[in-house]
Amino acid sequence: MRNTVINRRRFLTLTGGAALAAGTGLLTGCGSSSTPTGRGGAGSVTLPDYIPSQLVKPDLPPTAEGVMAGYYQYPRNLVTGVTGKPGEGLGDVSVLTNMFNPVPPAVGANRYWQELNNRLGANLNITMTPSADYLNKLSTVIASGDLPDMMLISARLARRADVLTRLCADLSEFVSGSAVARFPFLANIPRDPWLATAYGGGIYAVPIPRAIVGRIMFARADLLRQRGLNPAPASYAEFLELARGLTDARQNRWAFASAKGVIILVSDMLGVPNVWQEQGGKFVAEVESPQRKEAVARVAEMYQAGLFHPDTIGGRLQLRDLFGNGTVALNSDGYAAWDVLADTYKVEVGGIVAPGYDAGTRPVHRSGAPSFALTAFRKADKGRIEKLLAICDWLAAPLGTSEYMFRKFGVEGTHWNWQGDVPVRTDLGNVEAKLPLEYISESPHVLGPADRTRVDAQRAFQEKAIPHLLRNPAEGLYSETSLSKSGELTKIIDTAELDIVFGRKPISAWDDAVRQWRAAGGDQIRGEYEKAFAEQQ
């Protein structure tokens, strides 16, 4: 099995995009034809060099393997990362992106937005669409042919390869290899996130990076300590002992309340592939692994042993609340939830690193998606593209720079003030400084700034987990079927898992579910990945 470790320059060769089927409608409104307008056929491109920023020294430096940088507090002596105004002369810059917060005041009544435009030297006209509606909005804009200067390309966008290679600017000459050095904060983005930007022999977007540590099985570290339980089990048997020690139905306490995260953790103990396994150019899905079936069987035994909250079967529990109030002591969540849980519920949070199932098994820690989405540019002259990239570079400035503090908090004294060593927004800042700039361009995530004990615990988890990191070999490969049928295929597997865990069906039902998954699109995805993989060699 190949563990796709991106610690060297990787050459990606992908097709320029197959001809669109007649009548699809998605790109016909954009004046496209059945012949690629950019590079046709195959070509190769070098991913941007990874050049970690040395501008600000973190308390705990990042590692090339993927351990995140850590900060115990916000740097007070800010440095200026960019001289001049990166967008000077651009005039109006149209942007389409999503958002999760309420819409802030319009630019005419928003001093933060006005100052942003002043610092950039350009007028950002940002169209903000709620996340739930964004995919529909993006598809409508693409079909209209009236593209903005910059737009967030959702990971769920159908025909993404065609959209990028036919309609968007090829950024290769600006960012591939050592060329990215002229944009030092884009160069500060590790290589994993850039994989999804390469299509048809070119680089067509800037990634919105995420840490590859992925999901974590969080533990109430304070409860484990109170009960004298081992927070670092060395085998499945010891993990099972831990779960039993956390469960006391008479006291309304259980180890778990969601089956999926436990299945993934046990799968990691068994060395199950991360979504896909590639060997000799052939792809095997994790659901086809016998160890994945075994993981489901073990979790079914845990459920029958009473280690799950009794309402787990309903699937409508507020998992974070149950974790926070101590009803449930173990819960799987994204890595960013560590701070959310600790800050919201004022509890001590830890993470369980998957051990080997037994003495003869090497565990894995599956990496998460290395990017949230991509920012692509409308085709334009070279000078305009360079300035748009410079704006993205400015927005990706790291913690410790004046650009970062403005982007996150606004103008000191107006939108925020120091309270001790912590920047705290004013009431005006809570209203105005809410532009979704992190969905245009973003610096790599870091640990903290937070209490030293917490940051050290997060760092310790990553230093134990990252050496076992297993990447998904399909990252950077494109499958249209995966996009169009992912919901249907996921439902097949999720339903089978829950039916077996909750005792509605025997473990033998797993084989039927895998056959159904293959027939419904799994085999087609496999073929598309194998084709794309062969083309990049």
Side-chain angles (χ1 to χ4, degrees):
M1 179 177 68
R2 180 179 303 181
N3 182 0
T4 315
V5 179
I6 311 301
N7 57 8
R8 56 181 171 82
R9 181 169 298 162
R10 177 177 176 182
F11 292 90
L12 293 178
T13 304
L14 300 111
T15 64
L20 287 176
T24 57
L26 177 60
L27 296 178
T28 53
C30 305
S32 65
S33 67
S34 61
T35 303
T37 57
R39 304 181 186 189
S44 63
V45 64
T46 304
L47 291 180
D49 286 351
Y50 174 42
I51 310 172
S53 175
Q54 304 297 319
L55 199 60
V56 180
K57 184 179 180 180
D59 295 299
L60 302 170
T63 71
E65 292 73 26
V67 177
M68 298 160 65
Y71 291 83
Y72 298 133
Q73 61 185 24
Y74 284 89
R76 292 294 293 263
N77 298 320
L78 301 178
V79 298
T80 298
V82 178
T83 58
K85 299 182 177 183
E88 191 78 63
L90 280 179
D92 292 337
V93 176
S94 54
V95 181
L96 175 66
T97 191
N98 72 352
M99 66 182 311
F100 294 88
N101 296 318
V103 178
V107 63
N110 190 325
R111 282 171 283 181
Y112 172 81
W113 197 338
Q114 294 166 11
E115 180 59 21
L116 172 68
N117 287 344
N118 175 56
R119 296 188 183 202
L120 292 177
N123 299 317
L124 288 193
N125 296 325
I126 307 174
T127 299
M128 295 164 271
T129 302
S131 181
D133 303 321
Y134 185 73
L135 188 59
N136 287 336
K137 175 70 173 179
L138 176 62
S139 299
T140 300
V141 168
I142 290 170
S144 75
D146 186 16
L147 301 182
D149 289 298
M150 297 193 285
M151 57 182 171
L152 187 77
I153 301 295
S154 168
R156 298 181 293 117
L157 177 66
R159 309 195 74 83
R160 186 173 70 234
D162 290 309
V163 170
L164 289 170
T165 57
R166 295 167 185 269
L167 304 180
C168 301
D170 185 344
L171 308 179
S172 304
E173 67 174 298
F174 308 105
V175 300
S176 65
S178 60
V180 76
R182 65 179 299 188
F183 305 107
F185 302 133
L186 297 183
N188 187 48
I189 298 174
R191 288 195 181 138
D192 286 81
W194 288 100
L195 280 171
T197 70
Y199 292 94
I203 296 173
Y204 286 90
V206 172
I208 308 295
R210 292 293 182 263
I212 58 173
V213 69
R215 297 184 68 84
I216 296 173
M217 178 59 76
F218 291 110
R220 281 288 303 271
D222 48 350
L223 297 182
L224 268 65
R225 186 169 53 253
Q226 289 173 14
R227 301 178 193 184
L229 298 171
N230 178 13
S235 65
Y236 172 77
E238 290 188 12
F239 177 73
L240 187 59
E241 181 180 349
L242 169 65
R244 288 170 175 160
L246 290 167
T247 301
D248 186 344
R250 291 172 297 181
Q251 298 295 320
N252 197 38
R253 295 173 180 170
W254 288 270
F256 316 112
S258 175
K260 188 71 173 182
V262 188
I263 291 172
I264 295 301
L265 184 69
V266 177
S267 295
D268 286 352
M269 295 181 192
L270 290 162
V272 172
N274 183 357
V275 187
W276 289 93
Q277 172 185 317
E278 178 274 318
Q279 191 167 19
K282 299 299 181 182
F283 279 67
V284 177
E286 68 166 299
V287 297
E288 298 173 295
S289 164
Q291 289 82 6
R292 185 73 158 80
K293 179 179 179 181
E294 182 179 354
V296 175
R298 298 290 82 74
V299 176
E301 293 170 352
M302 291 184 193
Y303 181 81
Q304 294 300 317
L307 303 181
F308 282 78
H309 189 288
D311 293 334
T312 299
I313 196 169
R316 298 183 181 277
L317 295 172
Q318 298 297 317
L319 298 175
R320 289 184 176 179
D321 288 345
L322 292 175
F323 183 89
N325 65 29
T327 301
V328 170
L330 301 171
N331 186 55
S332 176
D333 209 332
Y335 67 87
W338 195 312
D339 289 326
V340 174
L341 294 168
D343 291 339
T344 302
Y345 303 102
K346 311 302 179 186
V347 297
E348 185 182 350
V349 179
I352 303 292
V353 178
Y357 185 85
D358 52 30
T361 308
R362 184 183 185 277
V364 301
H365 179 83
R366 59 182 58 200
S367 67
S371 62
F372 169 79
L374 312 174
T375 293
F377 305 150
R378 178 173 61 188
K379 292 181 180 180
D381 62 76
K382 180 177 179 179
R384 188 168 184 85
I385 294 298
E386 287 178 318
K387 287 184 179 293
L388 293 175
L389 280 167
I391 287 177
C392 287
D393 186 64
W394 190 95
L395 291 172
L399 178 65
T401 63
S402 58
E403 293 86 357
Y404 177 96
M405 290 301 287
F406 174 80
R407 176 166 59 90
K408 291 291 188 182
F409 299 101
V411 177
E412 183 179 3
T414 300
H415 298 105
W416 66 277
N417 294 293
W418 289 107
Q419 290 187 10
D421 290 324
V422 179
V424 177
R425 283 197 180 105
T426 63
D427 290 341
L428 182 66
N430 282 327
V431 174
E432 291 189 345
K434 292 290 188 178
L435 294 180
L437 301 179
E438 66 271 27
Y439 301 117
I440 301 174
S441 188
E442 173 74 300
S443 56
H445 286 189
V446 299
L447 302 174
D451 175 76
R452 177 185 292 263
T453 300
R454 186 197 305 178
V455 173
D456 285 346
Q458 293 172 322
R459 178 74 173 205
F461 174 87
Q462 293 198 8
E463 289 176 342
K464 292 178 180 178
I466 293 298
H468 300 290
L469 192 73
L470 183 66
R471 290 171 169 85
N472 175 4
E475 287 288 352
L477 302 179
Y478 184 73
S479 165
E480 185 64 35
T481 306
S482 179
L483 284 177
S484 63
K485 294 192 173 183
S486 61
E488 174 187 350
L489 296 175
T490 297
K491 185 176 181 180
I492 291 171
I493 297 302
D494 287 352
T495 299
E497 287 176 342
L498 296 182
D499 281 346
I500 293 168
V501 168
F502 298 146
R504 294 189 289 250
K505 291 185 178 180
I507 189 61
S508 58
W510 180 256
D511 299 327
D512 293 333
V514 172
R515 281 190 289 268
Q516 183 182 355
W517 175 89
R518 292 182 58 183
D523 282 344
Q524 189 171 352
I525 295 172
R526 184 201 324 279
E528 291 169 358
Y529 281 149
E530 289 177 351
K531 181 175 182 291
F533 183 85
E535 290 167 346
Q536 76 170 20
Q537 300 308 300

